[in-house]
Amino acid sequence: MILESYINGHWVKGDDSNTRNMYDAITGDVIGLTSTEGLDIASALQFGRDNGKALRDMTFQQRGNMIKKLALYLNKRKEQFYEISYKTGATRADSWVDIEGGFGNLFANASLRKLFPDQSYAVEGDAIDLSRGGRFMAHHILVPKKGVAVHINAFNFPVWGMLEKCAVNWMAGMPAVVLPAPQTAFLTEAVVREIINSGILPKGSLQLLSGLTTSILDTVNSQDVVTFTGSAHTGRKLKVHPRLTEESVPFTMEADSLNASILGPDAVPGTPEFAIFIKEVRKEITSKCGQKCTAIRRVIVPENLMEDVQIALGKQLERTVIGDPKLREVRMGALINNDQRDAIKTQIAKIAQTADMVYGSTDTIEAMGADGAKGAFMSPIVMRENNPFKNTQVHEIEAFGPVTTLMPYNGVEEAIELAQMGKGSLVSSVVTADDAFAKAYTIEAASHHGRILTLNRDSAPQSTGHGSPLPLLVHGGPGRAGGGEEMGGIRGIKHYMQRCAVQGSPTSLTEITGIYQPNGDYKEAEQHPFAYHYEDIKPGMSLKTHKRTITDNDIQNFANLTWDHFYAHTDITSLDGSIFEKRTAHGYFIISAAAGLFVYPNKGPVSANYGLEDIRFLRPLYHNDTIYVRLTCKEKRERDVSGREHPSGIVKWYVEVFDAEPVDYENGKTDEEAEALVAVATILTMVEKKQTTFVEMTESRIDTCLSKLNQDTKPVWGAMTPQQMVEHLELTYRIAAGEIQDFEVATPDKLLDKVAATLWDYNKMPRDYNFPLYEAGIQPALQHKDLDEAKKAMLNARKAYLDFYKKNKKATTNNAVFGKLNKYEWYLMERKHLNHHFEQFNLLD
């Protein structure tokens, strides 16, 4: 059966004129075919471009939440992917890196939304003043490219390889066309099918080509981005494709490389570092059967420790059980197929022209639970090259499997030189307790590696390991490794965006960037800015405060309060030769006094002070000087809310402190010419969002809703009758008032805080939820003779609930779902609950 591709919004098959087999790595059986013959690949790329506007128009917050939702969706279905992954030869642990590591990339990149503004484009760096006086300036913005990201992937990580790239281009607002390696395309296809089924991504955001094609680069254009993961040989051929040159298409390459791990001379047998080193090398040989672009290919060891390392590593490898990856005892599965096994043997033979095989064999092995001859099984192989400076094959030839080579060094300079002889790699590691050795190696070797891991007894327990690229770190390397970069947090997202320098006035750039620029026009607020909810605050919204004169007593009292007795504040006899003319106000007193001028005292949407940044004191302020403050909204940022807290965002406020009567006679300036700006700072406040989901449930509102309800009213969902619903509300009020408490809370303790926190959000209650105090699927017997009597009883129960909390303001009572709730949380519960059931019977206006 030919594996389907997903292009132009449909699942389609290539024809059978040029198919390739896909194999079960364990049995050697053919499990399907791949083909892209007959597919219109050019139209697929154009389809992505044509439909990319939906992604581009989304804000970073929307894209991040979309990706997070997708990660949660896929994570719930992960077991089906594990079952498929066994056919690639991967153990459960191997598959975890690929499958859940891929989902982890989605989660990690989704979290980056908090570092971007709530708009579809980004602003980079600080503003640049292009004129004296600050009326002409520049800024850099980053906008999504209007093309598609073309991802050409290797076989060894069919899930991670796709998602680590797509997570980044989706965050940037760019669609993707994925071309997985045909050997493992069946696993990629299974994940893509679930992604499409979820309906979470906008149309055209993801397309899949299941099989090889030689034409995918023929129609790329300057707005597209091409990434490649695979062999250096194939990557170099793609890199010189004429279309890439003609259209100046960005191309990033992540190629297999001869990564090295160095054992420090201090890490002798018996030290924790020696054990860490052996464990790390063994893991990198056997993990994914050595089919990792980051695997340790060269083990660089002090000459006097070569024998110790060889013996210890051999003992570790002897304990590695090889066989069917579904078996619990198995620690290493199979290579992707027998063709790959043959290719590895050829490479081993080349290395063996000068190096010795000191562990393992290329002969057929016995595999637990499988046929070692039919499956693509192979023994771990350790080579030993005693003359690595003379015999360079080990620095040039890679056997992409469970193969590594030991080699000796004398002194850190030789270790560095050997590592660099690989001509560029994705990662190197150095295992040592000697930080001086680690520094000497890292600084000199960094030019040849994309990442360097320093390991010792302190970092090892929490280290992700030599071979683990992380979403927030750059993944790539120079030279043989391809010269490209992937992931890297914000850096990776920028790769799919166009940087543009924008020039203009501060007022114009405030509008363009969505960030207030100093010297831009203020937008005078109609009321105090702290009285607005998050959604109503706009960059440039500003308030000018009243004035305050700083007295000598203020300065001395602040010094006594804080114990800051710096001479400029407390000893005016010591000012000679300093920059100060008189008793000087503390910088932090100026900021505190400024806060006293601009803070809004009433309770409102501003729920907390979130921080202070970018504070600058521009000139001294002396006793008897008078100040005023200009408070201006600089920028808004979304934030994730967890726990018992209402939805909110972060607002950054630009604080300017001015001297109301500036004097600078020392420099011959008039009052009008003197510099009035004394200090600037950015303060951050946590500001609640508007609650627009629920109708406030006042007594009159409840009466109005109940008056619309009669026995013939039909529910929009669910099986409740009107009277059953009203009696259910009565029961809830009696529980809230503590009248009924003889029940167990149904929510498990470990989930209780998370569930209770949902009362604070603005999301509606789920429909068709089974109330835990009722027998599943069965409504309790009616307690009142008719609906009118039930309404009266419900209202009486509500009055009793309100009276209870008037008399017992600190009381808490149990709820069957949410656990212990206080007075305010019962108010939140009532608002959600009544809205839920009144909406159920269409009683709300």
Side-chain angles (χ1 to χ4, degrees):
M1 185 179 79
I2 297 175
L3 196 67
E4 289 187 317
S5 296
Y6 185 76
I7 60 172
N8 299 319
H10 303 286
W11 287 100
V12 295
K13 290 181 181 179
D15 63 42
D16 59 2
S17 62
N18 186 20
T19 60
R20 286 175 175 262
N21 292 339
M22 296 180 293
Y23 296 94
D24 184 320
I26 306 305
T27 65
D29 296 335
V30 175
I31 57 175
L33 306 172
T34 63
S35 172
T36 61
E37 292 296 317
L39 301 184
D40 189 347
I41 294 172
S43 72
L45 269 59
Q46 191 58 43
F47 182 82
R49 299 183 196 110
D50 292 342
N51 289 278
K53 191 175 188 302
L55 259 180
R56 291 195 300 272
D57 287 349
M58 295 172 74
T59 67
F60 281 102
Q61 315 310 317
Q62 291 169 331
R63 293 177 203 141
N65 285 320
M66 172 191 75
I67 294 170
K68 181 179 179 181
K69 184 177 180 182
L70 179 61
L72 292 168
Y73 177 90
L74 292 173
N75 203 47
K76 289 179 181 178
R77 292 157 177 80
K78 63 186 178 185
E79 290 304 322
Q80 69 190 63
F81 305 133
Y82 276 107
E83 284 302 311
I84 299 169
S85 184
Y86 287 128
K87 297 181 187 300
T88 71
T91 64
R92 176 87 185 191
D94 296 337
S95 298
W96 180 87
V97 176
D98 184 31
I99 295 169
E100 295 189 53
F103 302 163
N105 261 279
L106 294 177
F107 281 118
N109 278 278
S111 70
L112 294 176
R113 68 190 183 278
K114 293 174 284 188
L115 303 179
F116 288 96
D118 191 19
Q119 52 195 25
S120 60
Y121 54 94
V123 181
E124 184 180 48
D126 296 323
I128 302 164
D129 186 2
L130 301 176
S131 65
R132 298 187 67 179
R135 305 308 299 177
F136 182 59
M137 59 172 295
H139 227 315
H140 290 88
I141 63 172
L142 293 156
V143 298
K145 289 178 179 287
K146 295 184 177 180
V148 291
V150 178
H151 299 313
I152 305 170
N153 289 332
F155 65 78
N156 46 336
F157 286 97
V159 181
W160 184 89
M162 170 177 66
L163 294 182
E164 61 100 357
K165 295 179 174 69
C166 286
V168 181
N169 64 250
W170 289 332
M171 271 302 293
M174 197 175 196
V177 178
V178 176
L179 180 67
Q183 298 95 320
T184 54
F186 55 90
L187 179 53
T188 310
E189 186 267 354
V191 176
V192 171
R193 194 171 287 276
E194 279 297 345
I195 292 174
I196 300 304
N197 289 344
S198 75
I200 293 171
L201 300 180
K203 182 173 71 172
S205 299
L206 176 62
Q207 299 184 82
L208 174 73
L209 291 166
S210 299
L212 286 182
T213 172
T214 58
S215 63
I216 193 167
L217 299 184
D218 291 350
T219 58
V220 293
N221 67 37
S222 60
Q223 288 292 304
D224 298 331
V225 174
V226 178
T227 72
F228 169 78
T229 299
S231 74
H233 175 72
T234 303
R236 284 191 291 269
K237 288 201 300 184
L238 294 176
K239 196 172 185 176
V240 297
H241 192 287
R243 187 70 177 176
L244 299 182
T245 305
E246 291 165 11
E247 291 283 322
S248 297
V249 180
F251 178 87
T252 186
M253 174 176 161
E254 184 262 286
D256 307 329
S257 57
L258 292 160
N259 312 293
S261 186
I262 287 80
L263 180 67
D266 61 297
V268 298
T271 63
E273 284 70 30
F274 185 86
I276 291 165
F277 182 78
I278 297 300
K279 180 180 178 182
E280 197 71 15
V281 174
R282 187 267 307 160
K283 181 175 70 174
E284 290 302 313
I285 294 172
T286 59
S287 175
K288 289 287 287 185
C289 212
Q291 298 169 122
K292 292 169 61 178
C293 57
T294 54
I296 298 172
R297 303 299 178 198
R298 297 177 298 151
V299 182
I300 301 175
V301 176
E303 187 171 30
N304 64 315
L305 298 179
M306 283 283 284
E307 290 298 324
D308 296 307
V309 169
Q310 180 179 320
I311 293 168
L313 184 56
K315 288 180 179 179
Q316 284 279 323
L317 292 172
E318 284 176 359
R319 295 159 53 188
T320 302
V321 178
I322 303 168
D324 185 344
K326 290 184 179 181
L327 299 178
R328 181 174 296 181
E329 302 88 344
V330 169
R331 292 294 175 267
M332 190 173 96
L335 298 162
I336 190 59
N337 56 36
N338 285 317
D339 289 343
Q340 179 65 16
R341 182 171 62 181
D342 292 341
I344 293 169
K345 288 181 179 180
T346 299
Q347 297 297 80
I348 291 172
K350 294 177 182 177
I351 298 172
Q353 290 176 8
T354 60
D356 298 321
M357 187 182 299
V358 294
Y359 182 88
S361 167
T362 56
D363 296 336
T364 301
I365 66 167
E366 290 189 12
M368 178 178 285
D371 188 328
K374 291 183 178 179
F377 297 102
M378 185 174 186
S379 162
I381 302 291
V382 179
M383 309 293 288
R384 176 168 173 161
E385 176 54 76
N386 291 317
N387 296 296
F389 290 100
K390 175 184 176 184
N391 301 320
T392 60
Q393 293 97 319
V394 72
H395 307 299
E396 298 165 358
I397 297 167
E398 180 182 23
F400 197 71
V403 183
T404 198
T405 303
L406 300 176
M407 62 191 73
Y409 77 90
N410 286 295
V412 66
E413 292 81 7
E414 284 196 2
I416 294 165
E417 185 177 352
L418 287 172
Q420 292 176 345
M421 288 175 72
K423 298 181 181 178
S425 77
L426 297 171
V427 57
S428 176
S429 56
V430 54
V431 184
T432 177
D434 182 349
D435 287 335
F437 181 88
K439 177 182 178 180
Y441 174 78
T442 301
I443 299 303
E444 289 302 316
S447 60
H448 285 60
H449 305 287
R451 174 169 59 92
I452 293 180
L453 168 67
T454 63
L455 266 179
N456 58 28
R457 67 194 73 183
D458 295 330
S459 62
Q462 294 184 311
S463 169
T464 51
H466 169 102
S468 298
L470 296 175
L472 302 184
L473 301 181
V474 167
H475 179 50
R480 182 189 172 99
E485 291 184 353
E486 294 178 355
M487 303 190 296
I490 291 177
R491 297 174 185 84
I493 293 171
K494 290 179 179 179
H495 183 66
Y496 297 93
M497 307 187 81
Q498 177 62 48
R499 182 179 289 102
C500 180
V502 183
Q503 298 167 276
S505 72
T507 302
S508 296
L509 265 63
T510 293
E511 291 298 315
I512 292 170
T513 63
I515 300 173
Y516 175 74
Q517 306 297 333
N519 296 314
D521 291 347
Y522 303 117
K523 301 173 183 177
E524 298 293 344
E526 294 182 4
Q527 56 182 332
H528 195 289
F530 284 11
Y532 291 94
H533 284 89
Y534 180 80
E535 294 89 342
D536 295 329
I537 299 171
K538 307 299 180 187
M541 179 182 282
S542 185
L543 169 75
K544 181 180 178 180
T545 72
H546 53 283
K547 299 175 182 178
R548 171 179 176 171
T549 298
I550 295 173
T551 67
D552 191 76
N553 282 342
D554 287 336
I555 298 172
Q556 295 192 57
N557 288 338
F558 190 82
N560 292 330
L561 179 66
T562 62
W563 293 10
D564 178 356
H565 294 99
F566 185 64
Y567 77 92
H569 315 309
T570 58
D571 183 7
I572 58 175
T573 66
S574 300
L575 299 180
D576 290 347
S578 73
I579 64 171
F580 308 107
E581 300 292 335
K582 307 176 185 178
R583 188 184 305 281
T584 307
H586 302 70
Y588 294 110
F589 173 66
I590 296 172
I591 296 300
S592 299
L597 290 171
F598 68 68
V599 165
Y600 185 59
N602 299 347
K603 184 178 181 180
V606 174
S607 56
N609 183 338
Y610 199 69
L612 178 68
E613 60 188 27
D614 298 333
I615 186 170
R616 293 290 184 273
F617 303 113
L618 305 177
R619 71 169 181 81
L621 196 67
Y622 302 122
H623 67 89
N624 295 329
D625 283 347
T626 300
I627 63 170
Y628 69 90
V629 177
R630 174 64 77 169
L631 177 75
T632 307
C633 172
K634 179 179 180 180
E635 184 180 358
K636 294 163 59 178
R637 289 289 174 97
E638 288 285 340
R639 67 182 289 264
D640 288 340
V641 174
S642 60
R644 303 185 185 206
E645 182 184 339
H646 288 306
S648 62
I650 300 302
V651 179
K652 294 186 176 185
W653 302 93
Y654 186 56
V655 177
E656 298 169 283
V657 183
F658 293 94
D659 187 338
E661 300 169 350
V663 177
D664 191 11
Y665 297 126
E666 292 83 355
N667 295 313
K669 294 183 179 179
T670 65
D671 291 0
E672 290 76 16
E673 293 173 332
E675 184 61 55
L677 191 60
V678 174
V680 295
T682 300
I683 69 159
L684 287 68
T685 58
M686 193 184 301
V687 183
E688 289 184 5
K689 297 182 177 179
K690 281 182 179 177
Q691 191 289 109
T692 57
T693 306
F694 306 113
V695 176
E696 288 297 329
M697 284 296 141
T698 61
E699 185 175 343
S700 62
R701 171 68 67 176
I702 294 171
D703 289 341
T704 299
C705 290
L706 290 179
S707 68
K708 299 178 183 178
L709 186 69
N710 58 60
Q711 285 289 13
D712 297 326
T713 306
K714 301 297 182 185
V716 178
W717 73 85
M720 272 186 170
T721 66
Q723 185 170 338
Q724 286 171 338
M725 182 270 284
V726 173
E727 292 192 5
H728 171 67
L729 296 179
E730 177 197 353
L731 173 64
T732 305
Y733 282 125
R734 292 172 67 193
I735 290 171
E739 181 183 342
I740 300 173
Q741 290 286 282
D742 57 341
F743 56 81
E744 296 291 330
V745 176
T747 304
D749 287 344
K750 65 181 181 179
L751 299 176
L752 198 54
D753 284 343
K754 184 176 181 180
V755 172
T758 63
L759 290 175
W760 293 74
D761 65 32
Y762 301 154
N763 299 322
K764 295 181 179 181
M765 286 183 165
R767 297 183 176 187
D768 300 318
Y769 176 76
N770 290 320
F771 185 54
L773 299 188
Y774 296 161
E775 189 175 344
I778 301 175
Q779 292 292 334
L782 295 176
Q783 301 298 306
H784 304 290
K785 68 177 183 180
D786 57 30
L787 178 59
D788 287 338
E789 185 176 302
K791 290 179 182 179
K792 292 176 184 177
M794 186 209 104
L795 293 173
N796 287 334
R798 182 176 189 268
K799 183 178 183 300
Y801 145 71
L802 295 174
D803 289 344
F804 174 79
Y805 276 105
K806 282 181 182 177
K807 297 173 184 176
N808 305 279
K809 292 182 172 59
K810 301 292 185 181
T812 59
T813 56
N814 268 331
N815 177 283
V817 176
F818 302 105
K820 283 194 178 297
L821 302 181
N822 59 31
K823 176 185 177 182
Y824 184 71
E825 289 169 328
W826 272 114
Y827 152 72
L828 296 176
M829 165 64 188
E830 180 194 30
R831 185 173 69 183
K832 274 199 174 191
H833 198 215
L834 265 62
N835 270 264
H836 174 77
H837 286 296
F838 287 172
E839 184 180 342
Q840 180 184 15
F841 283 86
N842 202 23
L843 306 177
L844 297 173
D845 293 337

